[in-house]
């Protein structure tokens, strides 16, 4: 099974709401990623977890809060978002790169987030 | 530092004609390189990867790419375009530290019937 699942598929939230995005994989991958993608642009890395520990945070605003409760799950908690945060949020997983890497990422279908 | 340049932001081909999507990379070592495809409102799907084995890499759906170190290129080709190939394509290079990947800006492929 090479599938990464993401829920929900679509989310509309107001600027005062709190919501969470969920990502799950059962490939035994120990690296998991959150990306943000605007229309017609490449994905932008937000966070990387390696062995359930946050290893990369690309200076993301604190209104985005990641969580990796176990090796299969990755959450992204959202609070007090701005309209410019509207985007496609992609989750990915891979084997951990412990040297100059050859491991590919597997992507989920994404959550389309609209902030009103 | 690693970087990727996709030389064409848009490519348009007729159905049944060859496809060429160009990618140049910059890296201080021998990187791993990947091509991903993204259909509208979908996630990214891996087409193929280069990992320092054969320089000509075959992928899914009839796509191929050739790694040319002397030219620092990793161009994606397909002999005959199909309507279903219309999508956004991303060239990606691995980082020199763990778990980082660098994306090109993407090439939008249009297939004309």
């Amino acid at each position: 099974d090479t599938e990464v699942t993401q829920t929900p598929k679509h989310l509309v939230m107001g600027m005062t709401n709190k919501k969470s995005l969920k990502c799950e994989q059962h490939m035994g991958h120990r690296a998991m990623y959150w990306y943000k993608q605007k229309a017609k642009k490449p994905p932008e890395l937000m966070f990387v977890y390696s062995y359930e520990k946050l290893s990369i945070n690309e200076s993301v605003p604190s209104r985005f809060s990641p969580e990796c409760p176990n090796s299969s799950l990755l959450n992204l908690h959202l609070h007090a978002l701005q309209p410019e945060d509207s985007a496609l949020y992609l989750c990915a997983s891979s084997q951990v790169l412990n040297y100059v890497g050859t491991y590919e990422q597997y992507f989920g279908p994404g959550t389309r987030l609209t902030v009103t | 530092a690693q970087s990727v340049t996709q030389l064409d932001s848009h490519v348009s081909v007729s159905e049944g004609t060859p496809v060429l999507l160009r990618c140049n990379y910059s890296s201080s070592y021998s990187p791993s390189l990947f091509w991903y495809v993204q259909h509208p409102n979908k996630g990214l799907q891996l087409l193929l990867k280069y990992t320092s084995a054969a320089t000509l890499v075959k992928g899914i759906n009839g796509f191929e790419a050739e790694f040319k170190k002397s030219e620092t290129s990793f161009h994606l080709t397909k002999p005959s375009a199909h309507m279903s190939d219309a999508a956004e394509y991303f060239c990606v290079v691995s980082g020199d530290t763990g778990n980082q990947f660098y994306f090109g800006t993407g090439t939008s492929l249009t297939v004309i019937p």
Side-chain angles (χ1 to χ4, degrees):
Chain A
D1 181 9
T2 58
E3 188 180 23
V4 176
T5 59
Q6 290 187 244
T7 55
K9 290 186 178 179
H10 301 276
L11 178 62
V12 179
M13 59 185 291
M15 289 189 285
T16 58
N17 292 158
K18 287 185 180 180
K19 296 286 185 184
S20 296
L21 310 184
K22 179 181 174 181
C23 173
E24 192 166 6
Q25 57 88 16
H26 295 287
M27 293 177 278
H29 291 167
R30 301 301 293 276
M32 296 186 77
Y33 310 75
W34 279 115
Y35 288 88
K36 173 183 178 181
Q37 187 180 28
K38 298 287 247 183
K40 306 295 185 185
K41 297 290 187 183
E44 299 173 35
L45 183 65
M46 301 174 71
F47 303 104
V48 181
Y49 274 82
S50 179
Y51 297 108
E52 296 85 67
K53 294 190 186 304
L54 185 64
S55 62
I56 296 174
N57 177 342
E58 292 286 1
S59 303
V60 178
S62 60
R63 56 186 184 268
F64 295 92
S65 175
E67 178 195 21
C68 190
N70 61 55
S71 60
S72 300
L73 280 174
L74 185 66
N75 298 321
L76 186 63
H77 303 297
L78 313 172
H79 174 56
L81 295 192
Q82 303 297 310
E84 60 265 28
D85 297 322
S86 298
L88 182 68
Y89 287 83
L90 294 164
C91 173
S93 71
S94 75
Q95 296 185 49
V96 173
L97 304 177
N98 51 15
Y99 56 94
V100 172
T102 62
Y103 299 128
E104 65 272 25
Q105 294 179 298
Y106 291 84
F107 285 83
T111 294
R112 174 69 62 188
L113 174 67
T114 303
V115 182
T116 61
Chain B
Q2 290 67 246
S3 68
V4 176
T5 301
Q6 291 184 243
L7 298 166
D8 306 292
S9 57
H10 299 278
V11 170
S12 184
V13 300
S14 296
E15 189 176 17
T17 65
V19 175
L20 170 63
L21 305 183
R22 298 183 294 165
C23 173
N24 284 358
Y25 70 92
S26 173
S27 177
S28 55
Y29 57 90
S30 294
S32 296
L33 292 156
F34 311 87
W35 275 100
Y36 285 86
V37 61
Q38 185 178 31
H39 289 91
N41 297 309
K42 300 290 186 184
L44 279 72
Q45 181 184 18
L46 180 70
L47 282 176
L48 49 80
K49 65 179 181 181
Y50 166 75
T51 58
S52 73
T55 56
L56 182 61
V57 181
K58 293 187 183 297
I60 62 171
N61 301 335
F63 284 95
E64 292 184 350
E66 186 171 8
F67 175 74
K68 292 187 177 180
K69 187 174 181 178
S70 60
E71 299 176 11
T72 62
S73 68
F74 190 57
H75 300 336
L76 182 70
T77 61
K78 183 173 181 177
S80 176
H82 192 272
M83 294 300 295
S84 60
D85 295 328
E88 190 80 16
Y89 291 79
F90 293 101
C91 182
V92 181
V93 64
S94 60
D96 59 356
T97 58
N99 304 322
Q100 282 201 299
F101 298 83
Y102 297 88
F103 284 74
T105 51
T107 298
S108 177
L109 176 64
T110 299
V111 182
I112 302 166

